[in-house]
Amino acid sequence: TVYEGRKKILGPDHPQTLYALSQTGIYLYKTGKLQEALACCKEAYERSVKTLGSTHYTTLARKTSYYQRLGNLGHYQEAADMAREMYETHTRLNGKRSLSALQSCTDLSVYLWNLGRNEEAIRYGLEAYEGRRAYYGEEHAFTLLNMDNLAHFYGSAGNETKALEYALQVLKLRRKTLGENHPSTLTSLHGLALRYWKLGQSQRALAYGKEAYEKRCAVLGKDHPDTVLSLGNLALFYEG
């Protein structure tokens, strides 16, 4: 590999060697080899600390990749601890509303949610959403991602009314920016059906659920996992 070649010629700590190692980690992640990707990201980060220092921008970028791979593998506590460190570091170096701080804040909120710490997830999720809305605007994909996260966080915290409020807004804005049949729009449609079902509004749940299923059939095909999921929800709604 390029990494092994550079390691042999330039040494393990040369910047070009570490770049190749980092890129190998990205490739492994994209091809689904998560454990191998984690090992590469961990080594690239630790060697960057050694050669560049803990607050160099390259080291911080590699630390982000490292904790994100931990999160991909379900190591949420470790990922949350590192994301919190990154959020505090970026806040100190670049400001609370810097894009790097907002990314760490977003990641932290998701890991906290996966750990069942819903109130903390909401607090950081709101901060990330408000920061991205101020920077990108309400209709940007990153802002909508944070808004969608908040729907999940509030739902898990038992506040289905607030969750529905965010879910409705996400669907409205995704329809506007992406179109009626975009997969992300259909994901929002599917999620909204569940929100109504949890609120006991079975007729609305059924209407949105049918729309999600029919559009996923047309766009993704009947055998796509997302379409099958929507079909399962329809069965649930009819039983309810």
Side-chain angles (χ1 to χ4, degrees):
T1 65
V2 174
Y3 165 63
E4 292 296 339
R6 289 182 179 176
K7 182 179 179 182
K8 183 177 180 180
I9 296 169
L10 302 174
D13 294 326
H14 191 280
Q16 289 299 318
T17 305
L18 293 180
Y19 175 77
L21 178 60
S22 181
Q23 290 300 300
T24 300
I26 293 171
Y27 171 76
L28 289 168
Y29 164 67
K30 289 182 176 179
T31 54
K33 298 176 180 178
L34 300 184
Q35 287 288 356
E36 294 95 326
L38 175 62
C40 286
C41 291
K42 181 176 187 290
E43 185 177 351
Y45 163 60
E46 290 175 346
R47 289 189 178 279
S48 290
V49 172
K50 175 183 172 183
T51 58
L52 299 172
S54 61
T55 58
H56 190 279
Y57 69 91
T58 300
T59 304
L60 295 178
R62 287 170 181 166
K63 186 173 182 178
T64 297
S65 294
Y66 177 30
Y67 79 64
Q68 287 177 341
R69 299 299 80 80
L70 286 167
N72 295 144
L73 286 163
H75 302 305
Y76 297 124
Q77 186 60 64
E78 194 172 354
D81 291 343
M82 292 184 71
R84 192 188 301 274
E85 290 172 6
M86 285 290 287
Y87 172 62
E88 292 170 353
T89 299
H90 284 307
T91 296
R92 185 177 72 254
L93 295 176
N94 307 311
K96 200 173 188 177
R97 290 292 177 93
S98 65
L99 296 184
S100 51
L102 293 174
Q103 179 63 59
S104 298
C105 190
T106 296
D107 292 338
L108 175 58
S109 69
V110 173
Y111 300 142
L112 290 169
W113 175 62
N114 276 288
L115 288 165
R117 293 157 64 177
N118 297 316
E119 294 304 322
E120 285 182 274
I122 289 170
R123 177 161 61 87
Y124 285 104
L126 281 169
E127 189 170 321
Y129 163 62
E130 290 165 0
R132 281 182 163 172
R133 183 178 61 180
Y135 186 88
Y136 291 113
E138 191 170 44
E139 297 178 359
H140 192 278
F142 285 164
T143 309
L144 293 178
L145 176 64
N146 286 103
M147 198 185 299
D148 193 45
N149 286 347
L150 283 168
H152 290 292
F153 300 165
Y154 276 111
S156 295
N159 191 340
E160 288 295 341
T161 301
K162 196 72 174 176
L164 178 63
E165 178 185 321
Y166 279 104
L168 281 166
Q169 186 70 353
V170 172
L171 176 61
K172 175 185 174 183
L173 292 173
R174 281 182 171 163
R175 278 174 163 165
K176 178 181 177 182
T177 58
L178 300 174
E180 291 282 346
N181 296 321
H182 190 280
S184 293
T185 306
L186 300 184
T187 297
S188 294
L189 194 62
H190 171 91
L192 187 58
L194 284 170
R195 294 290 163 214
Y196 277 119
W197 181 72
K198 288 180 179 179
L199 283 165
Q201 299 185 37
S202 56
Q203 290 304 310
R204 286 189 175 182
L206 190 57
Y208 281 107
K210 286 175 69 176
E211 185 180 352
Y213 171 65
E214 290 168 0
K215 287 185 174 179
R216 278 179 163 174
C217 280
V219 175
L220 303 173
K222 287 187 176 181
D223 296 326
H224 191 280
D226 289 348
T227 308
V228 173
L229 187 61
S230 287
L231 181 61
N233 281 353
L234 271 181
L236 181 67
F237 301 156
Y238 275 116
E239 288 174 5

